[in-house]
């Protein structure tokens, strides 16, 4: 007889019935056997313990008053088993006190005799659901550990293998690392992996999103401030650089830093010294800096929006994280990973994906990269009707994404729901519109400007701002 496991049927389980009255045991046995269960019988605690030690029972129905003690005594024993066995207590002498202690001890349910068969069945069914979820969860945790045996970065494409090697090589050094890649490619995960495999792993890793904070606040967050440095600074405050001393500081979205802050960052990188806002002397820090951006920093340098000296300083070790559409072999293992991860998070049984759906996903272009894949899996768990997820459950855009990508507006628009930085979105939009107008006018600036309703000088200014000179005639 097989005991219940994971998503397998709950129909045939092994149930121990513990009651000193033979009649009661018979009634329960008949009822449970009718539902397809296998029933063991015990008339006292000692017999019950012998059976529990010898058999893998899935559930215990225990009378409270027994010749050699209380049914309640079994509850903690069964909970401590591996896996835990739920106990439903039955009693003819119900009292509030007993019910409370039963539930406190962790009894799964508490029924008073006489009970009608429907109530008992309901309780048994709920107990099985509970057990199967517990077991499924345990299994998923093991599966996740197995999937993750090689670290957090899932994927077996040549690009991922190279990425892992690169991480392994740069981690031990204290060099600054520039992690680049589109949104959702896993830049933060790479930063975490570098910290984890460095000698600094027992020290803090602090993460600052430079795009999320206003400039002045960012400065005092990073470098700290002295008391009275500005209105409202009624206490001295140490910044992230000081807090990350001996550890790692990850500056996410570093492309969003103002030129002023860039200068200050350069100083820390060169001298290892931070200057709190309002301070008169610097403090020494030992911090490894990791930087990420989805921006093209080289282009920002050309546009005068990013300091060239800082760029070279950061770019000593560049780590580009390729978009998912350039490593489609990673879609299947990532999908597996997320199917397990999301099931664990939502505490629901794991689901699978039909081969048709997998084929669609593998061919999809993922403008939002790995994060988009994860979001699709989450949504499929919520919307999907069956254990086997189909292509519809992932609600991929009906149009193949590649045809969207040919439209210069496509990448911009597809980024919109992910993005929260309006300035950046508008700039990208502006660049894309300029690009399209220049294309349509054959590179004639005056004509493109007319199309966009821009004056001649305005057009010239913008072409220079976005480095589009090569597209003009
Ligand atoms: N190789 C991978 N293996 C497992 N999970 C991954 C992998 N790459 C990315 N992820 C997951 O995808 C999500 C997005 O990754 P992450 O936040 O690192 O991307 P990002 O490049 O920093 O994105 P953004 O530019 O939007 O900040 C996270 O949930 C992350 O755990
Ligand atoms: Mg990120």
């Amino acid at each position: 007889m097989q005991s219940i496991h994971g998503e397998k049927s709950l129909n045939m389980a092994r149930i121990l019935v513990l009651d000193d009255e033979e009649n009661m045991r018979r009634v329960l046995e008949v009822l449970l056997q009718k539902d397809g269960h296998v029933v063991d019988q015990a008339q006292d605690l000692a017999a019950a313990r012998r059976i529990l030690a010898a058999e893998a029972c899935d559930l215990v129905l225990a009378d409270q008053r027994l010749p050699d003690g209380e049914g309640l005594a079994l509850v903690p024993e069964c909970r401590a088993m591996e896996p835990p066995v739920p106990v439903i207590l039955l009693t003819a002498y119900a009292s509030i006190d007993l019910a409370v202690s039963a539930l406190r001890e962790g009894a799964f349910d508490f029924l008073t005799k006489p009970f009608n068969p429907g109530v008992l069945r309901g309780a048994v069914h709920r107990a099985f659901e509970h057990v199967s979820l517990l077991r499924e969860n345990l299994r998923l945790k093991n599966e996740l550990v197995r999937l993750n045996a090689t670290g957090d970065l899932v994927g077996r494409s040549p690009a991922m293998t190279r990425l892992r090697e690169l991480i392994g090589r740069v981690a031990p050094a204290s060099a600054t690392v520039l992690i680049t890649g589109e949104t959702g490619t896993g830049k933060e995960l790479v930063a975490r992996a570098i910290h984890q495999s460095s000698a600094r792993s027992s020290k803090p890793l602090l993460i600052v999103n430079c795009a999320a904070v206003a400039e002045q606040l960012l400065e005092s967050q990073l470098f700290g401030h002295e008391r009275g440095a500005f209105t409202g600074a009624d206490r001295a405050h140490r910044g992230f650089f000081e807090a990350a001393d001996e550890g790692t500081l990850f500056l996410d979205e570093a492309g969003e830093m103002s030129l002023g802050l860039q200068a200050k960052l350069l100083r820390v990188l060169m001298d290892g010294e931070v200057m709190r806002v309002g301070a008169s002397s610097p403090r020494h820090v030992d911090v490894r800096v990791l930087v990420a951006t989805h921006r093209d920093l080289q282009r920002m340098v050309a546009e005068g929006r990013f300091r060239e000296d800082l760029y070279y300083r950061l770019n000593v070790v560049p780590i580009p994280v390729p978009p998912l559409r350039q490593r489609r072999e990673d879609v299947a293992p990532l999908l597996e990973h997320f199917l397990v991860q999301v099931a664990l998070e939502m505490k629901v049984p794991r689901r699978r994906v039909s081969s048709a759906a997998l084929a669609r996903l593998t061919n999809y272009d993922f403008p939002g990269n790995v994060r988009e894949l994860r979001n699709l899996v989450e949504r499929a768990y919520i919307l999907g009707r069956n254990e086997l997820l189909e292509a519809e459950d992932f609600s991929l855009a009906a149009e193949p994404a590649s045809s969207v990508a040919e439209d210069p507006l496509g990448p911009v628009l597809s980024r919109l729901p992910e993005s929260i930085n309006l300035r950046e979105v508008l700039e990208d939009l502006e660049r894309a519109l300029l690009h399209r107008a220049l294309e349509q006018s054959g590179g004639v600036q005056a004509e493109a400007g007319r199309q966009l309703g821009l004056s001649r000088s305005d057009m010239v200014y913008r072409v220079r701002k976005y480095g589009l000179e090569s597209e003009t005639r």
Side-chain angles (χ1 to χ4, degrees), residues 180-317:
T180 56
E182 290 179 12
T183 180
T185 43
K187 297 186 291 298
E188 183 169 334
L189 221 52
V190 168
R192 288 178 187 279
I194 292 174
H195 173 73
Q196 225 86 71
S197 23
S198 77
R200 298 169 179 261
S201 61
S202 63
K203 303 288 179 184
L205 164 70
L206 296 187
I207 299 180
V208 189
N209 185 333
C210 303
V213 203
E215 173 175 357
Q216 219 220 341
L217 195 59
L218 182 61
E219 173 167 6
S220 91
Q221 277 195 350
L222 287 177
F223 305 109
H225 61 250
E226 295 296 357
R227 187 163 167 230
F230 45 83
T231 338
D234 31 288
R235 264 196 280 166
H237 174 76
R238 64 178 195 156
F240 281 114
F241 270 103
E242 286 176 61
D245 201 18
E246 297 185 4
T248 308
L249 180 62
F250 174 42
L251 300 176
D252 204 356
E253 309 286 8
E256 312 312 306
M257 267 194 214
S258 70
L259 287 165
L261 273 184
Q262 290 172 26
K264 296 197 166 141
L265 173 60
L266 184 64
R267 170 158 186 191
V268 190
L269 294 179
M270 294 196 344
D271 314 336
E273 289 187 334
V274 284
M275 190 76 132
R276 289 187 180 181
V277 178
S280 49
S281 56
R283 289 161 197 262
H284 182 79
V285 288
D286 167 21
V287 174
R288 191 212 196 142
V289 176
L290 306 175
V291 166
T293 180
H294 69 272
R295 296 273 196 173
D296 181 348
L297 286 189
Q298 212 167 357
R299 181 155 160 184
M300 288 181 70
V301 169
E303 291 164 5
R305 291 190 293 153
F306 203 85
R307 289 183 68 109
E308 190 168 19
D309 44 8
L310 179 59
Y311 171 71
Y312 286 116
R313 186 95 206 173
L314 295 177
N315 205 30
V316 176
V317 186

Side-chain angles (χ1 to χ4, degrees), residues 5 28 71 75 85 90 134 144 149 158 173 198 213 247 278 338 391 413 430 454:
H5 260 298
L28 286 168
V75 173
V85 180
L90 311 170
L134 282 183
L144 201 64
S198 77
V213 203
F338 291 138
L413 294 179
E430 196 178 350
L454 294 175

